[in-house]
Amino acid sequence: MTTQKDVITLLISCPDKPGIVAAVSRFIYEHNGNILESDQHSTNQDDCTFFMRISFAEESFQLTPADLRKTFQPIAEQFQMQWSIHYSRERLRVGILVSKYDHCLVDLLWRWKLGELAMDIPFIVSNHPDLKNLADMYNIPYHHFPVKRETRQADEQRMLDFIGDQADLLILARYMQILEPFFVEAFPQRIINIHHSFLPAFIGASPYGQAFKRGVKLIGATAHYVTNNLDEGPIIAQDVIHCDHRDTISDLERKGRDVERRVLAEAVRMHTTDRVLIHENKTVVF
């Protein structure tokens, strides 16, 4: 029986034209691959863009990773593909950045320990020392990098120098700092953030207090890739939770924490299982 560790996934985007699915499927068939999943999407607009995610068993596949890339390249050139290949046995190294709020970090570590998130966590970085005991519970190195307003660039450069090539992806698990452009550009489309969905209606301090005064009936959360446009990167996952007139500010905050941790975990799961393709400032999530 083929298990998840034996899966190869191709992610493809290209101009839409006839023959793409046939060419990719034939390539896998000719090298004795057994297709396990296949998903496609077309933008159905002028100058259509076609997206494809196709997974097949590694066990019977006859090409090495290097030979796969070399052999598939002519097909990619024929259809003007942007493409990437992913082996599920090669787990992503995911660094986590956090401040003082612990709900997202707790949830990620719990799911990771259970095996729900197939990734390795080489480190947790924080601008506060508060959550070190939590990292210690899971035997994950915890590193304190204070960030001050007047020395922000130098502080973030030290953090970036420490991270180096240790991580393939970074998660901002309620990391309450705005990253400098040079930091974001070092991990393009490889930093995931989570924030409440009150933006841009309730900006600044006490968003839940503002929401309480307005009598909101829905609280939501958005997980997205970080860009240099604050909180405007491609969205990966969103969800909402209902509230009503009985809810206090504390109730709204509790519900907000709940939806934030769920949405962030889902976004991380989608990325680490190679289900996200980025198109302009949107995502296609298979």
Side-chain angles (χ1 to χ4, degrees):
M1 180 178 178
T2 299
T3 61
Q4 183 63 29
K5 68 179 180 180
D6 301 315
V7 174
I8 304 172
T9 299
L10 267 171
L11 293 178
I12 296 165
S13 61
C14 60
D16 196 1
K17 63 174 66 174
I20 300 170
V21 174
V24 174
S25 301
R26 184 168 57 249
F27 167 80
I28 295 170
Y29 167 74
E30 288 174 349
H31 299 286
N32 206 38
N34 179 33
I35 295 174
L36 304 174
E37 287 185 69
S38 182
D39 293 286
Q40 302 88 39
H41 172 69
S42 174
T43 57
N44 291 319
Q45 302 166 353
D46 294 336
D47 301 320
C48 287
T49 301
F50 178 80
F51 303 91
M52 185 176 191
R53 179 186 187 272
I54 189 163
S55 296
F56 49 99
E58 183 180 2
E59 183 179 15
S60 59
F61 194 65
Q62 296 171 337
L63 297 180
T64 65
D67 287 338
L68 190 161
R69 290 178 173 87
K70 180 179 179 180
T71 307
F72 189 75
Q73 186 59 34
I75 298 173
E77 292 175 355
Q78 176 187 354
F79 291 100
Q80 301 174 271
M81 292 178 179
Q82 294 182 350
W83 64 287
S84 58
I85 185 74
H86 306 268
Y87 287 77
S88 59
R89 56 180 166 78
E90 298 175 354
R91 290 159 60 103
L92 290 184
R93 301 165 302 161
V94 180
I96 301 177
L97 278 64
V98 67
S99 291
K100 290 185 176 182
Y101 295 115
D102 65 358
H103 55 287
C104 287
L105 178 61
V106 167
D107 191 72
L108 289 171
L109 295 179
W110 177 68
R111 293 176 190 271
W112 169 73
K113 191 70 172 180
L114 285 179
E116 288 186 17
L117 299 175
M119 61 189 192
D120 295 326
I121 306 176
F123 60 81
I124 297 170
V125 161
S126 180
N127 56 325
H128 296 281
D130 301 56
L131 301 183
K132 185 179 185 303
N133 288 341
L134 179 58
D136 290 344
M137 288 174 56
Y138 290 88
N139 296 315
I140 298 173
Y142 186 93
H143 301 273
H144 178 210
F145 283 88
V147 178
K148 298 180 181 179
R149 181 177 302 175
E150 59 273 17
T151 57
R152 179 188 300 277
Q153 288 199 357
D155 293 339
E156 288 194 9
Q157 185 61 60
R158 281 193 292 273
M159 190 190 315
L160 189 60
D161 291 342
F162 162 76
I163 294 172
D165 61 356
Q166 293 187 77
D168 305 301
L169 175 72
L170 298 179
I171 302 172
L172 307 186
R174 292 307 305 271
Y175 182 67
M176 308 302 287
Q177 295 287 325
I178 297 174
L179 296 176
E180 292 290 322
F182 71 85
F183 196 110
V184 175
E185 290 161 8
F187 285 85
Q189 301 172 354
R190 293 188 295 139
I191 305 175
I192 296 176
N193 189 30
I194 183 73
H195 64 77
H196 59 72
S197 65
F198 294 146
L199 297 173
F202 305 134
I203 299 173
S206 305
Y208 286 96
Q210 297 178 56
F212 176 77
K213 291 179 181 178
R214 286 291 303 275
V216 299
K217 298 298 184 282
L218 285 174
I219 292 175
T222 295
H224 62 92
Y225 291 111
V226 174
T227 66
N228 285 322
N229 294 321
L230 183 62
D231 293 331
E232 294 183 11
I235 294 169
I236 308 166
Q238 291 179 300
D239 203 356
V240 296
I241 190 167
H242 288 271
C243 49
D244 61 30
H245 59 277
R246 298 177 183 87
D247 288 325
T248 65
I249 294 177
S250 294
D251 290 328
L252 299 185
E253 291 174 340
R254 171 179 55 80
K255 291 182 175 183
R257 289 193 298 268
D258 186 53
V259 71
E260 284 174 1
R261 64 179 180 80
R262 288 190 286 108
V263 169
L264 181 59
E266 180 67 4
V268 172
R269 187 178 72 84
M270 291 293 101
H271 184 99
T272 55
T273 53
D274 310 306
R275 295 184 175 276
V276 185
L277 284 157
I278 297 176
H279 176 57
E280 297 174 348
N281 199 47
K282 299 190 295 185
T283 60
V284 175
V285 183
F286 287 118

